[in-house]
Amino acid sequence: MVRCLLLCWFILCALAPLQAQDFPRRQIDFDLLVQELFAQQEDEQVPYEDFYETLFQYYQRPLDLNRATPEELASLYLLSRPQIASFLKYKEENGKLLSIYELQAIPEFDLPTIYKLVPFVRVADAGLQADQRTLWQRMAGEDNNALVLRYQRTLQQAKGYTPAAADNPAGSRYLGSPDKLYLRYRISHSHDYSAGLTAEKDAGEAFTWDNQTHRYGFDYYSAHLQLYNRGHFKTIALGDYQLQLGQGLLLSSGYSVGKGSETIATVSRPDLGIRPYSSVLEYAYFRGAAVTYTLGNIAVTGFYSNKRVDANLKAQLDTLEQERSYFSGIQTTGFHRTASELAHKGSVREQLYGTNATYQNAAKTLLLGLTALGISYNAPIQKAGAPYQRFEFSGTSNYNLGTNYSYTWQNVYVFGETAVSKSGGVGTVNGFVANLSNKVELAMLYRSYARNFHSFYGSAFGEATRNINEHGLYTGIKLKPFRKWEFTAYYDRFRFPWLRYRVDAPSEGYEYLTRLYFKPNKQTALYVQFRTENKGLNAAGNTTALNYVAQALRRNYLLYYEFAPTKTLSLKSRVQFSSYAQEAPQTTGYLIAQDVNVTFRKVRLSTRYALFDTDSYDTRQYVYERDVLYAFSIPAFSRTGTRVYGLLQVSPTRNIDVWLKYGLTHYRHQRTIGSGLDTIEGSHRSDVTAQVRYQF
């Protein structure tokens, strides 16, 4: 009775700011969320698409707070682990939530956090009966069920699509058209099932049927079927899938976030286990079968994958004068546009197998895991022999054994993972997150990856893109001194004991970021951000076999302002500046962008006009762009020019959504754009995208 009275009180108090007892799920704008989770990036290979895909799935099918696991809540990257522990404790003491507004009664939950969270969660009606229909009947009646068709093209003709020169008729050219095609169908229901098919043809690839080159219409296909909660079977996966175990040291699905202005929630990785794969990254997945079986508090996962990967096979004579093939590494671009790229397609077979056992106590405060896996290829990996590659993996097979843990005690969450590879190299990552008060959060993480530690599908926290040859200590803090203000910062110190690519000596460095965020009301948001990175790189201009290493200092400044004067109009302004220096004189670059977004009932128009000017590629400017559904765009701009785009979304009927995007980049003082076969004559590049989604 007391709880019901308290709930009524919270609902009445919430009527003013929230305006409804049943919280209205408005169209969410991912822009600011993306900017918080990702810092200004320098690596174009970061798999943003996987993060965006999963987050959007949560938006389409919100998590039921009364059924969501701690790992599912952590995968939103909106709640810290102590906040999740506080939520679980509240449910244990008071029972299941009766309303979404009850979140205001949970300690550690403030209104800004709740506003970010509610688009991705819900509280199901406790009176609803379990669905007794068969799987096929449930799938036939599912509303989260859509077919997506996408077309993209660069309007200017690149060199790769022109006829070969008369004096070199065998010159390399693209085999297909400049059209990029994408098809996707997916049907899913949370905690029940997920099935989907994805197909893609990149620009320059041929749309053809050729069994010899493994091309069947589209160049790439991906399909999956996953079932959940079938008796003791928590998950059954067939086809393409991903694995997110522990802290991602051995198996990370790509659904992870690096260092950004969200300095607390992104430090630890959620242990999600088996996940469906429906992206178009043609390397970061497994193809085969996986299953998770539960025995009380223990969950056992077994997995097997057998797929072809792209590689440049080379012939070599062994000591018996017999020819054998080897390759230097897996190619991850996924492009099969030219004859040489096509020759590398699926040339090596990769097999991966293993198991994981996880124990979680009834209170969900303690998690212990053990993972063993092996990987093999039908041809050996053999590096080119550069000094920095001395400790890289070589051979046909590797295996790993690792253990992970996490524990929540009051307002402190500790976590970690340690693993060893066949070479004897050890990798470990350990940290903690603590809510020191309602206004102060702290996170620290230490990682140590040996120079001979080999993990092919690992992506734990680190400075480098791979978990090898790195030691570092990260410290992050979040302060909320006043209700409308938030200050976040991190400092990361790291060193690399052995040589790296473009770094011909052991090196070290540091990185720090500070951000001050102010949101005076629902219509306005403002933040200023400063980021500095200092690390060793080969000095430019050296001609010796081994270059000497000098510290490179990069600074980034960002000012962002958002104002929504009405429900239909949103204005976003951005100014960013960067500088780069390494012995030579400092170079600089800047970008100024203005967005105007208009939303009506069935029409949404997003526009941008941007100016950029950089002295060099080292000061290139990365900026997030709105794109069509399931696409993610953070282009880089260098030199001098302007960028304009418009994105129109229309819903002519209840079941159909249409997106049209046109983007134009104009480079001043340039006669050509791009390089190699992507060279465009002229100073303009324009791209068009059209997409249709039909919801069955």
Side-chain angles (χ1 to χ4, degrees), residues 261 263-264 474-478 487-491 513-515:
S261 55
T263 58
I264 304 297
Y474 168 96
T475 303
I477 191 170
K478 179 185 292 186
F487 174 79
T488 58
Y490 72 76
Y491 179 82
L513 176 145
T514 60
R515 188 185 79 146

Side-chain angles (χ1 to χ4, degrees), residues 447-627:
R447 73 268 189 190
S448 175
Y449 312 131
R451 58 188 179 181
N452 63 334
F453 176 68
H454 305 132
S455 174
F456 289 76
Y457 284 95
S459 182
F461 191 99
E463 169 66 17
T465 55
R466 297 188 302 143
N467 301 143
I468 186 173
N469 183 37
E470 180 180 340
H471 304 294
L473 177 63
Y474 168 96
T475 303
I477 191 170
K478 179 185 292 186
L479 305 176
K480 300 177 181 178
F482 309 105
R483 187 169 61 89
K484 299 178 181 180
W485 294 82
E486 180 179 276
F487 174 79
T488 58
Y490 72 76
Y491 179 82
D492 189 34
R493 186 84 187 186
F494 47 83
R495 62 185 180 90
F496 307 103
W498 186 245
L499 286 60
R500 304 168 61 227
Y501 176 65
R502 292 182 59 203
V503 188
D504 292 340
S507 60
E508 62 181 12
Y510 63 85
E511 179 181 358
Y512 63 86
L513 176 145
T514 60
R515 188 185 79 146
L516 182 62
Y517 177 72
F518 176 54
K519 189 173 180 61
N521 50 56
K522 293 182 181 180
Q523 293 76 34
T524 308
L526 171 70
Y527 74 82
V528 58
Q529 178 174 294
F530 172 62
R531 172 174 172 257
T532 294
E533 182 186 59
N534 185 310
K535 61 182 179 180
L537 291 174
N538 287 344
N542 287 290
T543 58
T544 58
L546 288 178
N547 296 300
Y548 74 90
V549 175
Q551 294 299 115
L553 179 64
R554 188 189 311 273
R555 290 193 172 100
N556 300 97
Y557 306 82
L558 173 61
L559 176 63
Y560 177 86
Y561 176 71
E562 178 178 346
F563 178 56
T566 67
K567 292 183 178 180
T568 60
L569 178 64
S570 172
L571 305 174
K572 301 182 180 182
S573 305
R574 164 188 291 266
V575 178
Q576 56 189 57
F577 173 82
S578 64
S579 64
Y580 179 87
Q582 187 194 30
E583 295 191 329
Q586 176 176 279
T587 59
T588 60
Y590 73 86
L591 180 142
I592 302 174
Q594 177 62 54
D595 294 4
V596 179
N597 305 318
V598 181
T599 303
F600 297 102
R601 288 186 176 180
K602 297 183 178 181
V603 179
R604 186 182 188 189
L605 177 64
S606 305
T607 65
R608 169 176 293 171
Y609 180 79
L611 301 170
F612 59 90
D613 188 356
T614 70
D615 295 335
S616 66
Y617 186 69
D618 291 319
T619 55
R620 60 194 179 278
Q621 301 295 307
Y622 288 87
V623 58
Y624 168 79
E625 285 188 0
R626 281 187 175 178
D627 214 323

Side-chain angles (χ1 to χ4, degrees), residues 196-200 213-216 218-226 237-243 251 274-291 302-310 336 345-346 348-354 374-376 457:
L197 170 68
T198 304
E200 183 195 47
T213 56
H214 310 290
R215 291 181 296 173
Y216 309 98
F218 288 93
D219 179 77
Y220 168 76
Y221 288 93
S222 175
H224 77 270
L225 171 64
Q226 291 197 10
L238 297 174
D240 294 348
Y241 62 93
Q242 293 180 309
L243 293 168
L251 293 167
I274 305 170
R275 299 180 55 244
Y277 184 77
S278 58
S279 184
V280 291
L281 298 174
E282 300 183 25
Y283 64 95
Y285 67 95
F286 305 118
R287 176 164 291 175
V291 61
F303 49 89
Y304 174 76
S305 171
N306 188 328
K307 68 175 183 178
R308 291 185 173 274
V309 295
D310 294 354
H336 309 113
K345 180 180 181 180
V348 172
R349 182 169 295 279
E350 174 194 86
Q351 295 189 73
L352 181 138
Y353 45 88
I375 189 169
S376 63
Y457 284 95

Side-chain angles (χ1 to χ4, degrees), residues 245-247 271 356 367-371 402-406 416-418:
L245 299 174
Q247 293 301 309
D271 192 322
N356 167 266
L367 185 146
L368 301 173
L370 181 67
T371 303
T403 180
N404 62 280
Y405 69 92
S406 65
E417 183 175 7
T418 301

